[in-house]
C-alpha cells in the first residue's frame, strides 16, 4: 500500500478490520441482501470496536484519528460485496453523524452523537425530496416555529437507513421565501407522531433500507435546531465535499475488488489449453482496467490528504466522484464480461457488484449536476466557501 499516506498503524488497522468483516459480516451478507435489512447486532459490534468513531472527538467517545483510517474503513467495506451494507454503515457514520458533530450543541452530541459512536443509535440524513433530486435549494419541506417548537411538514426520498434508523437529521425551509438562506437543519427522534416511512424497492443496494419519509405536522422542540437558523444550505454544501469523496473512494475500491477477482478467475479458468490470463487481448484489458483504478485511487488519496489538512476541496471532491464512479461502472462491466456466462450468475460477485455500482453516478449529486458545479468553478471562476 502507498506509504506516502499509510503508516504501519494504518495497515495494522486495515488487517484487523478485514478480519472483523470476514468473521462478523460476510457470513450474513446473503441473508441481509435477501431480506433487505441489516440486523441490529452488527451496528453494536461496529460501535464496540470503535469503527463509528474513527474521525470523532474523544470527548464524545470517538478515537480522533486522521482521515486515512476512514479511507481504509470505506475501502474494506466495498470488498464484502454488498453496496447496501456498506452504505448503511458509511451513511450513518459520515452523513448523519457529520451533521451532529459539526452543527450539534453539547446536549445534542451527548444525546445522539455518543450513542451513534457506540452503535446504540442509528441515524439517517434527510435532504433529497420527491421530484427534487439534486435541487437542494428548491426543497419544499417546511419548519414553522410556534412558540418553543417547530412544526415540520413535507417529505424526503432515497433516504439510506430511512426505515430502521432511530433518529433523523432533516433539512427544512424555515423561510420558504429565501431560496438559499431560508433552510435549517434539525434532529428528531423516529418515534415522535407524524413521521412515516415507506421502504423503496431498488435495482441494487438491496441490503440497505432506503425509504421515502413523510412528515405530517411533526412537532419537535426548538432546541433540536442544529447550528443557526437559515444556515442549512451552506452546512449541507460544505459537507458535500466529504460525501462526494466518500463516494469516490467507494468507487475506486469496488473497481479494485472487481479487477482482483477477475484476475483470480482468469488464472484458474482454462480455455483452448491455457489459462485466460495467457491471452493477450484479455491481459491488455486487465492492464487498462488496473491503470484506470490506480489513477483514481491516487487522486482520491491526495484529496483525502488535503481534506485531512483542513482544505476546502469542493471542486476536487466533485471531480473525484464524477470520474471515479464512471470508471467503476465501466471497469466492473468489463470485469463481468471477463467471467463470461459466470459473470451473469448470482453465485459469482459481479452481478451484484454491477447493480450496486450503478448508484455511484446518481447518489450524492448526479454526474450531470457535478459537471455543472465543476464548470462554474473552472469556467466562471465561481468560488465556494465554507459556512461561517
Amino acid at each position: 500500500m502507498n506509504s506516502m499516506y499509510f503508516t504501519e498503524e494504518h495497515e495494522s488497522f486495515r488487517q484487523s478490520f478485514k478480519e472483523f468483516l470476514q468473521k462478523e459480516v460476510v457470513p450474513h451478507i446473503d441473508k441481509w441482501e435477501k431480506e433487505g435489512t441489516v440486523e441490529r447486532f452488527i451496528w453494536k459490534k461496529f460501535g464496540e470496536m470503535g469503527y463509528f468513531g474513527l474521525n470523532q472527538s474523544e470527548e464524545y467517545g470517538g478515537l480522533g484519528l486522521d482521515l486515512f483510517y476512514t479511507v481504509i474503513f470505506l475501502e474494506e467495506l466495498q470488498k464484502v460485496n454488498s453496496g447496501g451494507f456498506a452504505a448503511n454503515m458509511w451513511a450513518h457514520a459520515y452523513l448523519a453523524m457529520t451533521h451532529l458533530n459539526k452543527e450539534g450543541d453539547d446536549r445534542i452530541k451527548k444525546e445522539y452523537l455518543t450513542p451513534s459512536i457506540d452503535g446504540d443509535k442509528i441515524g439517517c440524513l434527510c435532504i433529497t425530496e420527491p421530484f427534487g433530486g439534486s435541487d437542494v435549494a428548491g426543497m419544499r419541506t417546511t419548519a414553522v416555529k410556534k412558540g418553543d417548537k417547530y412544526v415540520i411538514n413535507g417529505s424526503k426520498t432515497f433516504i439510506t437507513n430511512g426505515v430502521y434508523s432511530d433518529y433523523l437529521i432533516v433539512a427544512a425551509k424555515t423561510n420558504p421565501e429565501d431560496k438559499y438562506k431560508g433552510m435549517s437543519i434539525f434532529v428528531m427522534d423516529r418515534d415522535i407522531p407524524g413521521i412515516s416511512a415507506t421502504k423503496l424497492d431498488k435495482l441494487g443496494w438491496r441490503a440497505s433500507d432506503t425509504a421515502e419519509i413523510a412528515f405530517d405536522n411533526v412537532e419537535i422542540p426548538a432546541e433540536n435546531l442544529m447550528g443557526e437558523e437559515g444556515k442549512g444550505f451552506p452546512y449541507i454544501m460544505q459537507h458535500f465535499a466529504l460525501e462526494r469523496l466518500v463516494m469516490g473512494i467507494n468507487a475506486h475500491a469496488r473497481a479494485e475488488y472487481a479487477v482482483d477477482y477477475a484476475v483470480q478467475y482468469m488464472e484458474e479458468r482454462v480455455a483452448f489449453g491455457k489459462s485466460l490470463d495467457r491471452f493477450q487481448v484479455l491481459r491488455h484489458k486487465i492492464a487498462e482496467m488496473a491503470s484506470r483504478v490506480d489513477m483514481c485511487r491516487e487522486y482520491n488519496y491526495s484529496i483525502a490528504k488535503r481534506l485531512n489538512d483542513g482544505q476546502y476541496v469542493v471542486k476536487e471532491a466533485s471531480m473525484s466522484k464524477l470520474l471515479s464512479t464512471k470508471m467503476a461502472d465501466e471497469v466492473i462491466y468489463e470485469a463481468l464480461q471477463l467471467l463470461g456466462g459466470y459473470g451473469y450468475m448470482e453465485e459469482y460477485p459481479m452481478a451484484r457488484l454491477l447493480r450496486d455500482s450503478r448508484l455511484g453516478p446518481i447518489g450524492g449529486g448526479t454526474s450531470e449536476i457535478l459537471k455543472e458545479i465543476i464548470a462554474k468553478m473552472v469556467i466562471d471562476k465561481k468560488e465556494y466557501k465554507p459556512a461561517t
Side-chain angles (χ1 to χ4, degrees):
M1 192 50 69
N2 195 325
S3 59
M4 286 174 59
Y5 303 106
F6 298 98
T7 64
E8 288 185 13
E9 288 78 11
H10 286 125
E11 294 307 333
S12 294
F13 170 72
R14 186 186 295 276
Q15 186 58 38
S16 65
F17 188 45
K18 277 183 179 179
E19 293 169 359
F20 171 85
L21 292 174
Q22 288 300 314
K23 180 182 177 183
E24 304 290 352
V25 174
V26 170
H28 305 284
I29 287 294
D30 287 341
K31 177 186 177 185
W32 295 339
E33 286 280 326
K34 287 185 177 72
E35 295 180 352
T37 181
V38 172
E39 293 169 278
R40 294 285 302 216
F41 76 84
I42 197 62
W43 298 85
K44 185 59 181 174
K45 288 191 175 183
F46 265 66
E48 289 171 347
M49 296 298 292
Y51 297 141
F52 290 140
L54 297 176
N55 68 326
Q56 298 291 343
S57 165
E58 294 180 52
E59 180 182 358
Y60 296 101
L63 298 174
L65 300 171
D66 67 61
L67 197 57
F68 282 95
Y69 285 91
T70 290
V71 171
I72 292 167
F73 175 82
L74 297 169
E75 287 180 329
E76 297 307 322
L77 278 176
Q78 291 299 309
K79 297 171 185 178
V80 303
N81 198 27
S82 173
F85 172 78
N88 279 10
M89 299 298 116
W90 62 255
H92 168 66
Y94 296 101
L95 299 187
M97 285 171 58
T98 293
H99 281 277
L100 291 177
N101 180 44
K102 298 296 185 182
E103 287 106 52
D105 57 22
D106 183 65
R107 178 194 67 84
I108 286 174
K109 288 179 180 177
K110 287 176 178 174
E111 190 172 334
Y112 295 97
L113 182 59
T114 294
S116 295
I117 291 170
D118 293 340
D120 293 323
K121 283 188 177 181
I122 301 169
C124 68
L125 177 62
C126 305
I127 296 176
T128 302
E129 297 191 351
F131 308 109
S134 297
D135 183 12
V136 175
M139 73 171 52
R140 298 177 182 176
T141 299
T142 59
V144 178
K145 193 169 187 181
K146 293 185 177 179
D148 61 352
K149 294 182 178 180
Y150 283 94
V151 180
I152 316 293
N153 281 284
S155 59
K156 303 290 181 179
T157 197
F158 309 141
I159 307 304
T160 303
N161 294 328
V163 178
Y164 301 112
S165 57
D166 302 295
Y167 65 89
L168 305 87
I169 308 296
V170 180
K173 284 291 184 74
T174 41
N175 178 9
E177 304 304 316
D178 195 322
K179 188 173 184 179
Y180 295 103
K181 296 181 180 179
M183 190 186 304
S184 302
I185 303 287
F186 303 88
V187 60
M188 60 189 73
D189 293 312
R190 162 76 56 177
D191 57 3
I192 56 178
I195 299 177
S196 59
T198 303
K199 193 170 186 177
L200 301 175
D201 191 15
K202 310 183 298 297
L203 171 69
W205 279 24
R206 301 199 61 90
S208 176
D209 56 304
T210 308
E212 184 165 315
I213 301 176
F215 304 93
D216 183 10
N217 290 315
V218 176
E219 294 188 358
I220 62 170
E223 63 183 8
N224 282 26
L225 170 72
M226 297 209 300
E228 295 181 38
E229 184 174 288
K231 285 199 172 180
F233 187 77
Y235 291 150
I236 291 167
M237 290 298 107
Q238 71 180 17
H239 300 328
F240 268 157
L242 175 60
E243 180 180 356
R244 287 166 183 164
L245 180 60
V246 164
M247 296 191 75
I249 291 167
N250 289 340
H252 83 235
R254 64 178 171 268
E256 181 179 41
Y257 172 76
V259 172
D260 289 346
Y261 189 90
V263 168
Q264 178 186 341
Y265 176 85
M266 290 165 60
E267 288 174 352
E268 299 169 356
R269 175 78 162 87
V270 174
F272 304 103
K274 58 183 178 180
S275 60
L276 295 187
D277 64 354
R278 297 297 94 196
F279 290 86
Q280 186 184 67
V281 66
L282 303 183
R283 292 167 62 87
H284 289 186
K285 178 63 69 177
I286 288 290
E288 182 179 336
M289 293 158 64
S291 297
R292 296 183 67 191
V293 172
D294 222 51
M295 292 288 284
C296 284
R297 182 175 55 230
E298 287 298 314
Y299 182 75
N300 292 342
Y301 286 170
S302 73
I303 302 312
K305 175 66 165 62
R306 292 174 64 178
L307 186 60
N308 187 66
D309 291 344
Q311 296 183 37
Y312 195 56
V313 292
V314 63
K315 180 179 78 171
E316 294 83 358
S318 298
M319 290 175 170
S320 163
K321 182 184 181 299
L322 175 67
L323 296 183
S324 296
T325 56
K326 180 182 180 183
M327 176 278 296
D329 274 7
E330 293 171 354
V331 164
I332 292 166
Y333 183 95
E334 294 290 353
L336 188 152
Q337 182 72 18
L338 290 170
L339 269 66
Y342 293 108
Y344 204 66
M345 298 296 108
E346 289 292 340
E347 63 187 284
Y348 288 76
M350 293 302 174
R352 183 189 298 162
L353 198 57
L354 185 71
R355 288 196 303 272
D356 286 352
S357 184
R358 190 60 190 84
L359 187 60
I362 299 171
T366 64
S367 294
E368 290 72 22
I369 291 293
L370 295 182
K371 288 175 184 178
E372 183 56 25
I373 290 170
I374 295 165
K376 285 179 180 178
M377 288 184 278
V378 173
I379 299 171
D380 304 334
K381 310 304 180 187
K382 181 176 177 60
E383 292 186 13
Y384 292 92
K385 296 180 180 179
T388 55

